[in-house]
Amino acid sequence: MILSDSNRLTVHHPTLDSLGNAMSPETPSLPQTLQLPAILAALQNGALAALARGPRHTYPLHSTQINITLDPATDIFPTTTTAALSSAARLAVQAALKAASTEGDTVLMEPVMHVTISTDENSLGSVVHDISSARGGQVVSLGGDDDSDSRSSPPLGNRALAIDPKRIYAPPDPFAGSAGEADVAADVNGQRQVTARVPLKEMVGYLKHLRALTGGRGTFVMSVDRFELMGA
């Protein structure tokens, strides 16, 4: 069965069939108080608990194959409960993971975030340099607020009637400068978006640093993108 974080669990029960019945008269069957689906669920819960706290710094494990063998003759007793099976599975998986970690087959992974940063044109160069150089990130794309205008628009029947703001009269602002100055300011201070992949450890406290780079005008959002090998 497939677990979270690309982990996999396989439970072998060679003396039981898919319904939990003994495959041979010489082998014991499950007690009436325990059904095979309940046992499998208990073993899964125990394995998940062990995978959530790995042997290295109690970090959760990723892409791990767990094999559990269930033999009613040695593992199931008349007083056995699902809680006891879950606890036994957790302890067994923890011991196996600890033994495997000493063989050098495990590596540390770190989350890489998908980050979208909004900043003004003047601060764009500083933000890109900080992401790609100081923080070891990878810039995926650079865009502006008007990028969505270049996409194909749906047919008129499937969208609201478009309104051209230039055809709507608005009284002039007496406190604003000339039209030429306003256009220049809009071009200089236009918002740009930077999309990048950055290790999570480099994004801790990034908002304060971004505000310092952009004079308080920068913002960002991020989500988990992938896991990669942790750098030295």
Side-chain angles (χ1 to χ4, degrees):
M1 61 189 70
I2 300 177
L3 307 178
S4 58
D5 295 333
S6 299
N7 296 312
R8 298 179 66 91
L9 170 65
T10 303
V11 179
H12 304 277
H13 41 88
T15 63
L16 300 175
D17 59 17
S18 59
L19 299 178
N21 300 319
M23 299 180 64
S24 171
E26 300 177 356
T27 58
S29 60
L30 296 175
Q32 296 181 354
T33 56
L34 289 176
Q35 301 296 324
L36 185 59
I39 294 176
L40 296 179
L43 297 178
Q44 178 180 347
N45 292 335
L48 286 173
L51 291 169
R53 297 176 62 86
R56 288 194 177 184
H57 311 290
T58 66
Y59 291 152
L61 295 178
H62 191 282
S63 303
T64 304
Q65 173 68 43
I66 301 295
N67 297 311
I68 297 179
T69 301
L70 175 66
D71 186 359
T74 57
D75 303 330
I76 304 295
F77 304 95
T79 58
T80 299
T81 62
T82 55
L85 289 173
S86 179
S87 179
R90 176 179 59 83
L91 295 175
V93 172
Q94 285 179 341
L97 293 175
K98 185 176 181 180
S101 65
T102 60
E103 299 176 1
D105 294 335
T106 58
V107 294
L108 290 179
M109 308 284 288
E110 64 177 343
V112 177
M113 311 304 291
H114 182 273
V115 185
T116 302
I117 305 170
S118 297
T119 180
D120 60 293
E121 186 76 26
N122 289 337
S123 305
L124 181 64
S126 300
V127 171
V128 171
H129 181 269
D130 178 70
I131 287 293
S132 59
S133 298
R135 301 185 182 275
Q138 176 187 1
V139 176
V140 178
S141 65
L142 300 175
D145 287 345
D146 56 349
D147 287 350
S148 58
D149 296 338
S150 60
R151 302 174 185 174
S152 58
S153 301
L156 184 59
N158 297 334
R159 59 187 176 92
L161 181 63
I163 299 177
D164 186 2
K166 296 180 180 179
R167 302 186 63 181
I168 300 177
Y169 172 77
D173 186 354
F175 301 101
S178 63
E181 294 176 354
D183 293 340
V184 172
D187 292 337
V188 173
N189 297 322
Q191 286 294 107
R192 298 291 299 274
Q193 283 191 345
V194 181
T195 303
R197 295 188 181 96
V198 188
L200 176 60
K201 64 181 180 181
E202 299 294 343
M203 298 303 297
V204 177
Y206 180 67
L207 180 59
K208 182 178 180 180
H209 184 74
L210 178 63
R211 293 290 175 84
L213 285 176
T214 61
R217 294 183 293 272
T219 59
F220 78 97
V221 293
M222 64 179 180
S223 60
V224 178
D225 183 71
R226 66 181 70 178
F227 285 83
E228 294 182 354
L229 291 177
M230 181 176 292

